[in-house]
Amino acid sequence: MADEFDLIVIGGGPGGYVAAIRAAQLGSRVAVVEKRSTLGGTCLIEGCIPSKALLDSSEYFALAHHEFAKHGILMDSPKLDLAKMMKRKDDLIMRLTRGVASLFKKHQIELFRGTGRLAAHAKTSTTVIVEGDTGEQRLQGEKILLATGSVPVEIPGISFDTTGIGHARHALEYQQVPDHLLVIGGGYIGLELGSVWKRLGAKVTVVEMLDDLLPNTDREVATTLLKSLEKQGLDIHSGTKVTAVEESSDGLRVRLEGKSDLAVDCDQILVAAGRKPCTEGLGLEQLGIALDDSGRIVVDENYATSRSGVYAIGDLIHGPMLAHKAMDEAVVCVERLAGTSPEVNYNLIPGIVYTMPEVAAVGATEEQLKQQGTAYQSGKFPFMASGRAKALGETEGFVKVLAAAKSGRLLGVHILGPRASELIAEAVSLMACEASVEDVALIMHPHPTLSEAFKEASLACIGSAIHA
């Protein structure tokens, strides 16, 4: 007889474990099926968290080399202990995964190790078969939530089985600094990890098939960031595709075609050409669960699939593949199952590129507003005019605010500069409350802080900027 639960979640990543915890808080008996040995999914184990750990470590290393002397901190040339840097990253992952496990124990969530799939010929569609090391186990749930996330997209002709070719997880585990790292894909993953290894001493070449890198980012912001990254030493080729990868006695030779026709010799290739939903093996076809043209699961406003009792969230469904999106969808989905009606505002999902300087944005870009024919006003404030940014020695970038022409309501906020990832939360909160630039201008911001740049950019929208 199958074990019975109110909710069975397949996937223990940000969406899955958050859904499980919230459902347990609401009184449900919950099971989670996870194939990895630890909880947290791609984000915690081989994505968001480890990449940020290495981004921060590499930034400190670069600052020690180039900036500390300006602060009166004198030392011999810093040396890299890559093994110790990696150990710090791994220790961080271990502590956080243990934290999630302790939350499961606290909320009495049952964890089943193995690969979960929907039973094809069950009398109901809410039977899950778990294939683990000890064989198969059947779980019965009133509701099933699919939250298996996404996997890297492979490029035809470029195999991850080839020595020196890998995706983000591999680039987070290099045992030595590459002599020359070639990154295929100029999105946020490629630029972030390329920046890490450039700061640690590698030569880095980035190849992007599209003419514009970061195509969904405000063009002024994206263009300014790319100039900064090129100034830092990244060799960026847009409008260029990889036509062949050949193994050589010295490593790998990559042939490029497009705006740049050349051959590049390198010892590591990072494929960062995007991600796709991880639906393989879930048993969707046998149950007739509908997918859209991009291979994502079709859901309604309650995250219900075309099969009764089965739901899906996160990277499996429409929208950007971001951990914070999956987490919010998890809570909303579970609370809707409990009878309430919260919702995710898909127009206010913040996006971040953790380069140096950082990029963070929410809402519409100037290009989108022009395409929509929306009348707007724009205000901008440079970090060069920020006292706090000057004190930090990080004056690159600006805050741009876009507002409705008549009402002044915030339509978009775009930040390039120090701590942009932290600053964007204020903009998201205010836009969720449909605030105007006048509202931002009336809010007292502490001095001296980076947050003042948001206020000054809002003031600039109405022609009242004080410090610029």
Side-chain angles (χ1 to χ4, degrees):
M1 183 175 178
D3 289 330
E4 296 186 0
F5 298 89
D6 299 313
L7 177 67
I8 301 173
V9 182
I10 302 180
Y17 83 71
V18 169
I21 292 171
R22 185 62 188 132
Q25 289 173 340
L26 293 171
S28 295
R29 186 185 180 207
V30 183
V32 172
V33 181
E34 172 54 55
K35 64 183 179 181
R36 288 185 174 90
S37 59
T38 54
L39 292 163
T42 297
C43 173
L44 203 161
I45 300 168
E46 56 185 63
C48 311
I49 299 302
S51 66
K52 302 314 165 285
L54 291 184
L55 280 160
D56 285 341
S57 293
S58 66
E59 285 177 12
Y60 287 135
F61 185 67
L63 290 172
H65 263 288
H66 307 297
E67 302 296 330
F68 278 9
K70 297 177 183 177
H71 293 267
I73 304 171
L74 306 180
M75 61 175 71
D76 294 334
S77 181
K79 297 180 180 179
L80 175 65
D81 186 336
L82 184 59
K84 192 169 185 178
M85 186 179 289
M86 290 294 183
K87 183 178 184 304
R88 174 185 177 273
K89 178 257 297 179
D90 293 339
D91 288 346
L92 174 61
I93 295 170
M94 180 184 66
R95 289 194 298 273
L96 290 173
T97 54
R98 286 179 177 175
V100 177
S102 70
L103 289 172
F104 270 40
K105 184 176 180 180
K106 174 184 176 182
H107 293 290
Q108 299 180 335
I109 298 167
E110 295 192 44
L111 177 61
F112 293 85
R113 302 285 185 190
T115 301
R117 74 175 189 276
L118 301 171
H121 303 295
K123 291 181 180 180
T124 68
S125 62
T126 53
T127 299
V128 173
I129 298 174
V130 182
E131 292 186 14
D133 294 337
T134 58
E136 285 191 359
Q137 188 171 3
R138 297 175 74 86
L139 309 179
Q140 184 66 42
E142 182 180 342
K143 306 290 184 185
I144 307 296
L145 178 60
L146 306 177
T148 48
S150 60
V151 293
V153 170
E154 295 188 41
I155 298 176
I158 302 177
S159 173
F160 290 145
D161 294 330
T162 303
T163 301
I165 300 177
H167 49 75
R169 177 172 59 81
H170 302 105
L172 293 166
E173 297 175 350
Y174 292 157
Q175 298 303 301
Q176 62 185 34
V177 178
D179 290 327
H180 189 175
L181 170 65
L182 185 132
V183 181
I184 303 176
Y188 68 94
I189 294 175
L191 294 178
E192 288 175 10
L193 292 178
S195 295
V196 166
W197 293 107
K198 175 59 186 175
R199 286 192 289 266
L200 295 180
K203 179 180 179 181
V204 176
T205 299
V206 179
V207 179
E208 171 55 55
M209 186 170 61
L210 299 176
D211 289 334
D212 293 323
L213 279 72
L214 302 172
N216 296 322
T217 303
D218 182 274
R219 282 298 87 202
E220 183 181 12
V221 171
T223 300
T224 307
L225 171 65
L226 294 175
K227 288 180 180 178
S228 174
L229 293 177
E230 288 177 329
K231 186 178 179 181
Q232 293 172 38
L234 270 70
D235 186 15
I236 300 174
H237 299 269
S238 63
T240 302
K241 65 179 180 178
V242 175
T243 58
V245 177
E246 305 160 359
E247 295 186 72
S248 67
S249 57
D250 297 326
L252 299 164
R253 170 159 287 190
V254 183
R255 300 195 180 277
L256 307 178
E257 183 181 283
K259 287 184 179 178
S260 301
D261 291 345
L262 68 157
V264 176
D265 293 317
C266 62
D267 55 322
Q268 291 285 353
I269 295 176
L270 163 59
V271 179
R275 299 181 66 84
K276 62 181 180 179
C278 186
T279 57
E280 186 176 349
L282 286 176
L284 305 181
E285 300 84 358
Q286 295 91 326
L287 292 178
I289 293 177
L291 304 179
D292 64 18
D293 293 339
S294 63
R296 299 198 187 194
I297 298 174
V298 177
V299 296
D300 65 14
E301 68 276 5
N302 295 314
Y303 302 97
T305 70
S306 55
R307 184 76 175 201
S308 177
V310 181
Y311 300 78
I313 59 169
D315 293 359
L316 293 178
I317 68 171
H318 61 84
M321 292 181 172
L322 298 169
H324 44 279
K325 167 186 171 282
M327 290 178 178
D328 274 20
E329 288 176 339
V331 172
V332 169
C333 176
V334 167
E335 291 187 353
R336 285 189 168 224
L337 290 177
T340 59
S341 301
E343 59 183 48
V344 175
N345 188 337
Y346 286 98
N347 295 318
L348 295 181
I349 299 176
I352 301 167
V353 185
Y354 292 89
T355 46
M356 187 179 184
E358 292 181 342
V359 170
V362 63
T365 66
E366 280 204 74
E367 291 71 31
Q368 290 168 341
L369 293 176
K370 290 175 181 177
Q371 187 176 28
Q372 296 164 7
T374 301
Y376 70 94
Q377 53 191 332
S378 174
K380 193 165 66 171
F381 185 79
F383 281 108
M384 182 64 73
S386 162
R388 185 71 177 112
K390 282 184 174 293
L392 284 170
E394 298 181 39
T395 57
E396 207 170 3
F398 53 85
V399 176
K400 178 195 283 189
V401 172
L402 306 173
K406 291 184 178 180
S407 67
R409 182 170 62 87
L410 292 168
L411 300 176
V413 177
H414 305 271
I415 306 174
L416 170 67
R419 315 295 192 271
S421 57
E422 304 295 338
L423 295 175
I424 199 64
E426 181 186 1
V428 177
S429 298
L430 287 168
M431 289 178 68
C433 298
E434 299 187 350
S436 68
V437 283
E438 287 85 355
D439 293 323
V440 181
L442 290 170
I443 294 172
M444 186 180 295
H445 287 66
H447 175 77
T449 63
L450 298 172
S451 68
E452 291 175 289
F454 179 32
K455 177 174 181 172
E456 289 282 351
S458 298
L459 285 166
C461 259
I462 54 178
S464 301
I466 303 297
H467 293 96

